[in-house]
Amino acid sequence: MKKFLKYFAALVIVLFVGYHSVYFKKLNEVQANTPSGKINTTAYTRTFWDKKLLPSLNKAISLDQLIGMLHTDPENTFKKYSNALGIGELKYFMVKAEGSVKQVGDNDLTVTLATDNKTVKIETEYVYGNAVRDASGLINRNEFDNTSDFNEISAGINKIIREEVLPDFKRTVKTGDHITFTGAIEMNKKFLNLSDIEITPIQLKILK
């Protein structure tokens, strides 16, 4: 009996140690962190783009609808549809629309919206800033220990846009093309200007 209890106790110890020695973690969490615990911003950005940002784009508000609401009820429109990671008057929206290309410029594209003939610009050369990161509303600032890492996420997002979203589109788009687009815009809540809207693109498609 003593021998049995001895083996039983040993088995319990082995199971206890084994249970607490093995744990499971999501692959993207492993990829996004270095051994030191510091966030791997390159891996984080890729995972964010593929797994969070692109699947969320169907929730973007129609740009025509947004402009109409900002004309009639800006306060509630900002409250309901904008995102911002800090205090201040700059707010960000994720928008989608379709229209005709009015002009292909060196640095941007002028597009006439399909529904109300309003023109907007799509950035095609100098894609910088935090518009996409902040408009998404999908990143928690508290995940990052420092501002540098946090800003690297924006730089990584903009790099994907410049290297993966824009090149093929710029090679083929021409004046008169009918296109659809989804992207981010920045608005100053205090000095609202709806006549000079610039979109940082995330998805662009030529419909012809």
Side-chain angles (χ1 to χ4, degrees):
M1 187 61 181
K2 287 183 178 179
K3 192 173 183 180
F4 170 77
L5 291 174
K6 182 179 178 183
Y7 285 136
F8 180 74
L11 177 62
V12 170
I13 292 171
V14 169
L15 291 175
F16 178 82
V17 172
Y19 177 80
H20 289 281
S21 299
V22 178
Y23 64 95
F24 297 92
K25 204 170 182 180
K26 292 181 180 178
L27 179 60
N28 62 342
E29 292 178 351
V30 175
Q31 293 173 327
N33 290 277
T34 66
S36 65
K38 182 180 182 299
I39 287 180
N40 180 331
T41 53
T42 301
Y44 183 102
T45 303
R46 173 52 64 183
T47 300
F48 169 74
W49 179 274
D50 291 338
K51 305 294 184 183
K52 290 187 175 181
L53 182 62
L54 295 185
S56 74
L57 294 184
N58 60 341
K59 297 177 182 176
I61 185 174
S62 160
L63 182 53
D64 297 324
Q65 182 184 358
L66 177 65
I67 292 171
M69 290 190 295
L70 287 172
H71 274 300
T72 58
D73 189 0
E75 185 65 31
N76 282 326
T77 303
F78 272 95
K79 184 182 299 184
K80 186 172 182 179
Y81 294 102
S82 73
N83 284 303
L85 294 173
I87 60 174
E89 300 299 336
L90 292 181
K91 307 294 180 184
Y92 301 88
F93 297 87
M94 197 65 74
V95 299
K96 59 186 176 184
E98 64 179 82
S100 298
V101 176
K102 182 178 181 181
Q103 182 178 12
V104 179
D106 292 335
N107 302 323
D108 53 38
L109 208 67
T110 304
V111 177
T112 303
L113 298 181
T115 54
D116 65 358
N117 289 325
K118 182 177 182 56
T119 59
V120 298
K121 290 184 182 275
I122 298 176
E123 299 169 345
T124 58
E125 186 64 28
Y126 302 107
V127 178
Y128 297 103
N130 302 318
V132 173
R133 182 196 69 185
D134 293 2
S136 73
L138 297 172
I139 294 181
N140 184 349
R141 172 67 181 83
N142 294 327
E143 293 180 64
F144 300 85
D145 293 331
N146 58 71
T147 303
S148 176
D149 284 352
F150 189 49
N151 289 336
E152 281 188 30
I153 303 304
S154 277
I157 291 170
N158 295 335
K159 183 179 180 184
I160 291 175
I161 293 170
R162 290 194 301 270
E163 295 182 355
E164 301 179 22
V165 175
L166 289 171
D168 286 345
F169 179 80
K170 289 170 65 177
R171 273 194 292 271
T172 54
V173 69
K174 60 184 184 300
T175 301
D177 282 348
H178 193 67
I179 67 170
T180 63
F181 58 89
T182 305
I185 60 174
E186 175 187 289
M187 290 279 183
N188 188 314
K189 187 178 177 182
K190 186 174 183 180
F191 302 103
L192 186 59
N193 180 5
L194 298 176
S195 63
D196 189 22
I197 294 176
E198 288 189 352
I199 296 102
T200 303
I202 300 170
Q203 284 184 333
L204 292 160
K205 185 176 181 181
I206 301 173
L207 301 176
K208 297 294 184 184

